[in-house]
Every structure is written in structure tokens, then in C-alpha cells.
């Protein structure tokens, strides 16, 4: 076999391997390709309890209820008319508030409540970190320190 044919065969094998790897990766991701499920998605296609997923949407107005233990928070994630009850145990991020975006990671319990183990608060396009806001002089932000 000539060197030219060997290079062509090697290039075709490399291309076939690359395409095969891409198809294998795409088939492995199937349902997990979405960054998060919205409450509307979950109403259409419910997820089995115990399966770890991401739930995303807006925190419903006046839905945040802090439990007496000080670390458990109940709230509702809404996506239009569809809603999902969520329970989170831990310290929420500073940007977590009503009428703002949230992505909660966790699983549904047998009672139908989403038990979140992580909360990611989303900000809008106008968000500016406090350090940059101070430099621009646009607004004054109070920063709290944990140190005495």
C-alpha cells in the first residue's frame, strides 16, 4: 500500500472514531441534556421519586416560609400556572428571594415535595457585583462581614 493510501485510510479511521465518540456521548446524555426541568415540564412528564434532577423557575411571591429550626426553608417554584413545592435545608445564597430566578438541585420525595440539597439563585441582566457598583458610584451596597 502506498504512503498516500495509508494516510487517507488513517484519516478516514480517525474521522469515523470522532463521529462514533460524538454519537456515544450524545446517546449517554439523552434526557440529561437540559440544564433544568421547569414545573410545567414536570407536569407533562413526571420524574420518578428519588431521581436527582435540577428544578428551575421563579420563586413565587410570598411563598418563602422559614421553619422554626432556622435552617429549613419551604417555598414554591413557579413557571406560569405550573408550580412545585420545594423544601431546602441549609443556608440559601444571598440572591435567593421571592420573584427571582432559582435552580434547585435535588429529588422528589414520596410526598411529592421536591427536597433540594443545593439552591442556585439566578440574577437578572442588570445585576452588578457590589465591588463594581462601588467603583462606578452608581449605588451604594452594604456588605456584611462575618468577622467581628
Amino acid at each position: 500500500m502506498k504512503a498516500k493510501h495509508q494516510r487517507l485510510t488513517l484519516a478516514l479511521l480517525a474521522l469515523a472514531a470522532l463521529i462514533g465518540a460524538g454519537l456515544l456521548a450524545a446517546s449517554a446524555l439523552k434526557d440529561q441534556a437540559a440544564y433544568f426541568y421547569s414545573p410545567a415540564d414536570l407536569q407533562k412528564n413526571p420524574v420518578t421519586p428519588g431521581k436527582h434532577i435540577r428544578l428551575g423557575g421563579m420563586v413565587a411571591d410570598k411563598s418563602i416560609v422559614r421553619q422554626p429550626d432556622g435552617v429549613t426553608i419551604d417555598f414554591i417554584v413557579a413557571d406560569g400556572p405550573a408550580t412545585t413545592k420545594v423544601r431546602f435545608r441549609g443556608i440559601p445564597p444571598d440572591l435567593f428571594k421571592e420573584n427571582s430566578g432559582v435552580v434547585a438541585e435535588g429529588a422528589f420525595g414520596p410526598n411529592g415535595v421536591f427536597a433540594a440539597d443545593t439552591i442556585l439563585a439566578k440574577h437578572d441582566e442588570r445585576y452588578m457585583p457590589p465591588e463594581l457598583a462601588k467603583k462606578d458610584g452608581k449605588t451604594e451596597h452594604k456588605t456584611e462581614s462575618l468577622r467581628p
Side-chain angles (χ1 to χ4, degrees):
M1 191 183 261
K2 293 184 180 178
K4 183 177 179 180
H5 288 97
Q6 286 178 342
R7 284 192 303 264
L8 181 61
T9 303
L10 184 60
L12 289 175
L13 284 174
L15 182 63
L18 189 63
I19 291 171
L23 290 173
L24 186 62
S27 70
L29 289 176
K30 286 191 248 179
D31 297 330
Q32 298 301 321
Y35 182 65
F36 59 80
Y37 293 93
S38 69
D41 293 338
L42 293 171
Q43 279 185 348
K44 292 176 190 171
N45 299 317
V47 177
T48 57
K51 181 180 178 186
H52 201 284
I53 63 166
R54 290 185 177 130
L55 169 69
M58 299 295 287
V59 178
D61 191 30
K62 298 178 183 163
S63 71
I64 297 177
V65 177
R66 298 182 188 278
Q67 299 301 319
D69 66 3
V71 293
T72 303
I73 301 170
D74 294 327
F75 60 96
I76 295 174
V77 174
D79 176 30
T83 61
T84 302
K85 292 181 182 181
V86 179
R87 174 166 276 197
F88 173 69
R89 184 173 170 83
I91 300 171
D94 291 338
L95 293 175
F96 177 74
K97 60 184 178 185
E98 294 170 341
N99 298 318
S100 68
V102 67
V103 174
E105 297 177 350
F108 280 98
N111 58 356
V113 175
F114 187 78
D117 49 29
T118 305
I119 291 181
L120 306 170
K122 295 167 55 178
H123 57 78
D124 64 6
E125 66 278 356
R126 296 173 301 198
Y127 173 76
M128 185 178 294
E131 295 81 19
L132 290 178
K134 285 180 184 177
K135 288 180 183 177
D136 289 346
K138 290 185 178 182
T139 181
E140 222 174 284
H141 290 275
K142 291 183 181 179
T143 57
E144 296 180 18
S145 175
L146 296 176
R147 290 181 240 156

